[in-house]
Amino acid sequence: MFKEQLEARGGAFLFTDGTERKDRLAALIQKSDVVVILTSFIRHLASYNAIDLCKEHKKPFSVVSELGIKSLVQGALSPTHIK
């Protein structure tokens, strides 16, 4: 559902649940134009790692706690933390 909505708007969808090693998470973030951290889907420590990696790699990001499509799309289109 999330994937289809982002792809319909021209985006690509990469997903992690935070169980990957930090280097794998870093690789996904480096490939991204914007990162949306869905706190309901990612482990607590991994969300902090993702935020640190976004800052380190100067990637815009949003932290979203709601599970709605609108929240996800808004987070992707208008990241709350920009380089």
Side-chain angles (χ1 to χ4, degrees):
M1 175 167 44
F2 294 138
K3 181 179 185 206
E4 291 82 12
Q5 290 297 318
L6 289 175
E7 289 176 349
R9 291 167 173 79
F13 184 80
L14 303 173
F15 180 81
T16 178
D17 63 6
T19 58
E20 297 82 5
R21 293 186 351 218
K22 193 171 180 179
D23 60 334
R24 173 72 177 134
L25 183 59
L28 289 171
I29 288 172
Q30 286 177 318
K31 290 180 185 178
S32 302
D33 293 321
V34 65
V35 176
V36 178
I37 301 165
L38 294 171
T39 57
S40 297
F41 281 108
I42 193 167
R43 294 174 39 193
H44 194 70
L45 178 60
S47 66
Y48 287 118
N49 287 339
I51 290 168
D52 290 342
L53 288 164
C54 287
K55 290 177 180 178
E56 179 182 327
H57 296 290
K58 298 181 176 17
K59 297 293 180 174
F61 68 96
S62 294
V63 178
V64 177
S65 59
E66 299 170 15
L67 291 177
I69 296 287
K70 183 177 178 181
S71 297
L72 172 75
V73 171
Q74 182 67 28
L77 295 176
S78 301
T80 53
H81 305 304
I82 303 175
K83 308 176 193 180

